[in-house]
Amino acid sequence: MRPVNLLPQSARPYVASGKAGGGSYIVIAGLAALVLGLAGYVMTTNKITSHKNTIAQAQQETNVANAKVAGLQKYAQFNQVATSRIQSVGSLAVNRIDYERLLRETSRVLPAGVWINSLDAEATGGGAATSSTSSTSGTTATSPTVHFAGCAPTQKSVAATLVRLRAVHGSDDVLLNSSGKGLKLGPAASAGSTSDSGGNCGNNVSFDILVNLSDEVTGFGDLGKKVPADLGGGS
């Protein structure tokens, strides 16, 4: 016998029929797309905000670095000036004659009764022409030179002076420009004047000597080398 449900339709329990409407799936799909789109928008917005913060921080660090560079610029300029001056001083130190050694050795080698009125040294070196010229050779010296103007009792003493000046450190060639009585030598000679009374040497012989030096007397060639004991060194 077939059972009969006497309950009204409104009181009966719901039984799924399995026949859902297509509209509900569309609504669910739309909601899912909306959620995904919103999530993508939020993630994109967060990335943009993060990149903007990174750019702003980088700009701030750049401004701070530029301010530091501007503050240190004067020190960089000072360093350049200091470096330039050190190079200039170093160049002068390398291309100079050791006057202390030159004077000491000259005083040791001069014969008795001979004295120097003027001494003019020029440390050009490097093949550059100097202002000192030998009147006997007619050539311009291209190495460091020392020009001596002085007095001697006799011409024999002048000859001895020429020989002894070869013992000066770095002496490469010794040339006699002139010698004799009645010559005006030294600074007064620049005016081209002469004197019959023996010039600034009185009755002694005046001489003008040019000593050409080798390049080893300038630069680093002399560093660490002591003056020989026989020329007043050894200390």
Side-chain angles (χ1 to χ4, degrees), residues 24-182:
S24 60
Y25 291 108
I26 295 175
V27 171
I28 293 173
L31 291 175
L34 180 61
V35 170
L36 292 176
L38 182 60
Y41 172 78
V42 171
M43 293 178 62
T44 303
T45 303
N46 291 338
K47 288 183 179 179
I48 293 175
T49 302
S50 176
H51 290 328
K52 287 183 177 179
N53 293 336
T54 302
I55 293 173
Q57 183 179 0
Q59 290 177 344
Q60 183 179 2
E61 293 176 353
T62 301
N63 293 335
V64 172
N66 290 335
K68 289 183 178 180
V69 170
L72 296 175
Q73 187 66 30
K74 58 182 180 180
Y75 295 102
Q77 294 174 351
F78 175 79
N79 183 64
Q80 292 177 353
V81 172
T83 301
S84 177
R85 290 181 178 178
I86 291 174
Q87 291 176 349
S88 299
V89 172
S91 177
L92 293 174
V94 168
N95 295 296
R96 65 176 289 273
I97 290 179
D98 188 347
Y99 283 95
E100 187 275 335
R101 179 171 188 169
L102 175 63
L103 293 174
R104 182 193 299 186
E105 294 184 357
T106 301
S107 66
R108 299 286 294 183
V109 301
L110 287 178
V114 177
W115 70 91
I116 302 297
N117 289 332
S118 67
L119 181 152
D120 182 16
E122 187 169 358
T124 53
T130 68
S131 59
S132 300
T133 306
S134 169
S135 61
T136 57
S137 62
T139 60
T140 301
T142 58
S143 59
T145 59
V146 184
H147 178 245
F148 295 96
C151 306
T154 62
Q155 290 286 9
K156 184 177 180 180
S157 298
V158 175
T161 302
L162 290 172
V163 174
R164 292 198 175 190
L165 285 177
R166 294 181 181 275
V168 173
H169 172 64
S171 177
D172 187 50
D173 191 17
V174 180
L175 304 173
L176 177 64
N177 288 337
S178 60
S179 66
K181 293 185 177 182

Side-chain angles (χ1 to χ4, degrees), residues 5-13:
N5 192 349
L6 299 178
L7 294 174
Q9 187 70 28
S10 60
R12 295 178 183 180

